[in-house]
Amino acid sequence: MNPDQLSMTIVDVLEALVADGAIALPDGVPAQVTVERPRQQGHGDYATNVALQLAKKAGTNPRAFADLVAERLRAADGVAEVEVAGPGFLNVTVEAGAQGQVAADIVAAGTAYGSSDAFAGEKINLEFVSANPTGPLHLGGVRWAAVGDALGRIFEKTGADVTREYYFNDHGAQIDRFSSSLLASAKGEPAPEDGYGGQYIHDIAAAVVDRRPDVKELDDAQAQEVFREVGVDMMFEEIKKSLHDFGVDFDVYFHEKSLHDSGAVERAIERLTEMGNTYEDDGALWLRTEKYGDDKDRVIIRSNGTPAYISGDLGYYLDKRERGFDRCFIMLGADHHGYVGRMNAMCSAFGDEPGKNLEILIGQMVNLLRDGEPMRMSKRAGTVVTIDDLVDAIGVDASRYALARYHSNSPIDIDLDLWSRATNDNPVFTVQYAHARVSSLMRNAADLGVTAASHPELLTHEKEGELLRALAEFPRVVKAAAELREPHRVARYLEELAGTYHRFYDSCRVLPRGDEETSDLHRARLMLVDATRVVLANGLDLLGVSAPERM
């Protein structure tokens, strides 16, 4: 019996009590009740505060309500004991056989274990990274690559239809500065004052000249246009390759320029105007964002007729909604915090609901430490630390795990020395080693001819119970990670599970020794080990991290 199954059992008890007239719930029986693992040993396997939540509505006190529930719950299949504690908490002990069944259920489910329909029917657009193609991908973008891809996997695990999208900024002043920097490099001149530096500029400029040797014969304006067209494509292909090597691929690469070329911006403005949310003042066209919670109204079209930056946001958001996305997520760096208010106001101006149709997630800074000192510069990029610097230092698995392990709105320091060590103070090593250890045990069992079998009633040891309850929590961890947009919950859970498994292994011998006969207890414990392997692998997969069978 897992927490969700116990929750439904309690719901069934409540419905029976209402049907018998023992209690009255004017608002109806809840679809589910909260069931948690007690913090203290001796308080049962699970606990619920359902009596404290519903007693007042039922017109009685929590303790009396809890007594009614406890009496019926004790008779339910799989429940060994129910204790009423304190003001009305219910501590539930599950029968060994019901709890032990969790292991066989997990093995039977395999890669599907942890799935739910929490987001079934939701069509989600997940836009992340979206770094300007003016240089190699820096650490801020790499953090969103790890977190965004993990969040997409978690949404898919909970039933959503997810499209990963990269907004390709090929329109604007930054691209002008990039192309002028390439031109200056090709001419042997220093980069413009507001341009880009680093070895990568010289590399790309040389590659453009190799591809288009005629560029040297053009005047500066024509040559810069060539460097813009060819150089931007080269830089973007390099970014895509770095992301692919990092295990992150996108379903859609959306070009900003297409918004202006296709008329999407004009359509968005027309829609907002029809809704009464634009006005003209001082020769410019304004969006009524202050009306929807922004600190001021925003210019859409300047008085000189050129579109302001927000005009592209308008066209892009409407385009996503017209493509049928129910939820649009945008993942931005900490320097875009002031962007949230205007984007939410824009969402409201279209008649949509911020936090539902549009949700903006903010990611804080990442620092790399080597020998306790921050790394400030990349050998190639010249100014920032890049995705390749991180991967070269600790590898893809450790990079992805380290970036996804913390709440995205918290700054993090990644100690390269720690994350490259094969020791238990390295979190990714701890989890991957646990998977390799269970895989090794499964191989040893096969060599001995021992096969896993379901004998749930035999898994009565305290450490077996702890491991079973930990494994049963995985679906709820995944669901919470999706609902709260927090992939780090999966990582922290896996670390706790690894520790719980090691304590089980140290206390409970799984395989027979010497001439010892193979017993049903050995087979039942092997089933529990296999269930642990499934959950570790499934959890690592959600983070885009490999589950090695040997280390």
Side-chain angles (χ1 to χ4, degrees), residues 223-536:
Q224 184 166 333
E225 191 56 37
V226 171
F227 280 109
R228 178 200 305 274
E229 180 182 343
V230 181
V232 167
D233 283 347
M234 286 183 172
M235 189 72 258
F236 194 47
E237 286 304 313
E238 182 173 317
I239 290 173
K240 286 198 284 188
K241 183 181 185 304
S242 293
L243 287 168
H244 175 76
D245 293 344
F246 197 63
V248 178
D249 293 293
F250 290 84
D251 304 300
V252 175
Y253 292 95
F254 193 99
H255 290 250
E256 181 187 6
K257 189 171 182 294
S258 69
L259 291 170
H260 299 272
D261 294 344
S262 68
V265 171
E266 288 77 7
R267 289 200 311 278
I269 293 173
E270 287 174 10
R271 173 78 62 86
L272 292 165
T273 300
E274 290 170 359
M275 299 177 72
N277 286 326
T278 67
Y279 65 94
E280 292 186 17
D281 188 42
D282 291 335
L285 184 67
W286 297 72
L287 179 63
R288 298 184 190 276
T289 45
E290 188 175 3
K291 172 183 174 182
Y292 297 106
D294 195 8
D295 58 348
K296 62 182 179 180
D297 289 344
R298 303 288 172 175
V299 173
I300 305 173
I301 304 295
R302 302 182 184 94
S303 56
N304 63 5
T306 60
Y309 187 81
I310 196 174
S311 66
D313 294 328
L314 303 178
Y316 190 31
Y317 177 71
L318 182 60
D319 178 87
K320 288 178 180 178
R321 294 289 280 134
E322 288 178 339
R323 281 187 273 153
F325 293 108
D326 307 300
R327 296 176 179 267
C328 303
F329 289 86
I330 304 176
M331 301 182 173
L332 300 174
D335 56 340
H336 286 76
H337 202 280
Y339 198 62
V340 177
R342 75 189 67 174
M343 291 297 287
N344 284 336
M346 173 206 72
C347 174
S348 295
F350 277 113
D352 286 344
E353 183 181 343
K356 179 180 179 182
N357 302 114
L358 175 65
E359 193 168 336
I360 297 175
L361 307 178
I362 297 294
Q364 295 293 335
M365 295 294 292
V366 179
N367 296 306
L368 298 190
L369 304 179
R370 189 184 290 280
D371 299 325
E373 295 296 323
M375 285 181 61
R376 298 295 184 193
M377 298 177 66
S378 164
K379 292 180 181 178
R380 183 163 178 265
T383 54
V384 295
V385 181
T386 70
I387 184 172
D388 296 326
D389 296 319
L390 178 59
V391 170
D392 288 347
I394 61 176
V396 170
D397 279 348
S399 298
R400 289 191 61 137
Y401 194 99
L403 291 165
R405 184 178 182 261
Y406 303 91
H407 194 294
S408 58
N409 205 21
S410 300
I412 55 174
D413 294 327
I414 296 179
D415 185 334
L416 298 178
D417 300 315
L418 182 152
W419 285 93
S420 60
R421 289 200 291 262
T423 57
N424 286 333
D425 56 352
N426 176 351
V428 71
F429 174 83
T430 297
V431 178
Q432 289 185 315
Y433 176 70
H435 185 270
R437 192 177 187 186
V438 297
S439 298
S440 175
L441 196 154
M442 296 301 295
R443 287 195 299 274
N444 291 340
D447 291 342
L448 292 172
V450 181
T451 57
S454 182
H455 296 282
E457 72 284 354
L458 299 180
L459 298 176
T460 58
H461 192 282
E462 175 188 354
K463 298 305 180 185
E464 293 167 344
E466 288 179 5
L467 183 53
L468 284 163
R469 288 190 291 275
L471 294 171
E473 284 292 310
F474 182 59
R476 298 208 304 181
V477 171
V478 177
K479 183 180 177 183
E483 291 174 340
L484 299 172
R485 329 311 185 209
E486 296 179 350
H488 73 275
R489 289 174 173 267
V490 175
R492 297 308 177 98
Y493 164 82
L494 291 175
E495 292 163 37
E496 291 180 8
L497 177 61
T500 303
Y501 171 75
H502 293 317
R503 289 190 292 274
F504 153 78
Y505 183 83
D506 292 342
S507 300
C508 302
R509 186 156 46 83
V510 178
L511 298 179
R513 292 176 178 172
D515 296 330
E516 182 183 2
E517 289 279 337
T518 300
S519 70
D520 286 342
L521 179 58
H522 292 127
R523 297 184 182 95
R525 285 177 172 173
L526 190 59
M527 180 71 78
L528 181 53
V529 170
D530 201 15
T532 305
R533 178 193 60 78
V534 168
V535 175
L536 287 169

Side-chain angles (χ1 to χ4, degrees), residues 106 108-116 157 534 538:
I106 291 171
T111 57
Y113 185 65
S115 301
S116 73
K157 195 76 169 175
V534 168
N538 290 0

Side-chain angles (χ1 to χ4, degrees), residues 132-136 169 172-185 189-202 235 381-384:
N132 292 324
T134 54
N169 185 340
Q174 289 176 316
I175 299 299
D176 292 337
R177 294 198 296 272
F178 177 67
S179 57
S180 63
S181 301
L182 294 177
L183 174 61
S185 175
E189 299 174 356
E193 186 175 341
D194 60 349
Y196 295 92
Q199 183 59 41
Y200 78 96
I201 288 289
H202 304 305
M235 189 72 258
T383 54
V384 295

